[in-house]
Amino acid sequence: MGRLFISYRRQDSEWAARVVCDELSEHFGKESVFMDIDTLAPGDDFVEAIERAVGNCHALVALIGPQWLTIRSPSGARRLDESNDFVRLEIEAARRMTRDLLITYLGRAPAKRVLRGNFIRGRKSINVAVEFTYRNAWSLEFRYVNFFAAGVYNLLSDRDYFATTVKY
């Protein structure tokens, strides 16, 4: 299972994020779930760490509570409209990197769709990987992922990719 990134607003859905994180961690393992307060170390550059974490995840779980759209900053502006809003940065990074968005509406969340996921009904994928291990200390992995079906083929948003990973 790939990594899951949990995106939430502390003022709106921290309680739900904790429950989701605990359940996903129990099912997939703690190392497969990224939640800022559990994963980041004091002094980490938050923006850089978020970019890195989103880049390493396969899907971003966006928890949208009742006040997600309307929470305001001390200046009075909507948090979502500010360029330095961490939730906005997380979701923009996931979209830019074409990660899957798992959108979860909590309670009386905004009725209109505020985000659209990038899932396409009927899409399928093939994942082929080869891993070489040397003396149980070094490993080299080559991976190719091909998305197909669903009648959609767009070179600008095609998500097929090739990856190489070295571990030591």
Side-chain angles (χ1 to χ4, degrees), residues 23-150:
E23 290 295 320
L24 290 174
S25 295
E26 185 176 316
H27 186 75
F28 296 113
K30 190 163 182 64
E31 67 283 348
S32 294
V33 180
F34 179 93
M35 184 169 161
D36 59 354
I37 59 174
D38 289 348
T39 312
L40 296 177
D44 281 351
D45 179 330
F46 195 81
V47 175
E48 183 180 300
I50 293 302
E51 287 280 332
R52 187 173 49 252
V54 171
N56 290 329
C57 80
H58 288 92
L60 182 137
V61 179
L63 301 175
I64 299 176
Q67 300 167 348
W68 192 86
L69 274 176
T70 59
I71 289 177
R72 304 227 174 244
S73 68
S75 68
R78 272 189 346 160
R79 290 282 309 169
L80 193 60
D81 295 331
E82 295 183 348
S83 61
N84 64 347
D85 177 33
F86 293 131
V87 171
R88 177 182 175 155
L89 294 172
E90 294 165 357
I91 293 170
E92 284 177 349
R95 284 187 157 177
R96 186 176 59 256
M97 297 177 195
T98 63
R99 300 300 187 245
D100 288 330
L101 292 176
L102 307 171
I103 302 160
T104 306
Y105 295 95
L106 306 169
R108 295 179 182 262
K112 71 176 195 173
R113 295 263 186 228
V114 293
L115 293 174
R116 289 191 340 246
N118 54 359
F119 292 107
I120 297 174
R121 171 175 262 153
R123 176 178 272 175
K124 296 171 180 46
S125 70
I126 293 177
N127 188 344
V128 179
V130 177
E131 183 174 2
F132 302 96
T133 303
Y134 178 71
R135 294 188 177 205
N136 291 329
W138 288 82
S139 87
L140 174 65
E141 178 187 67
F142 298 102
R143 175 177 304 275
Y144 175 71
V145 179
N146 180 302
F147 291 87
F148 62 96

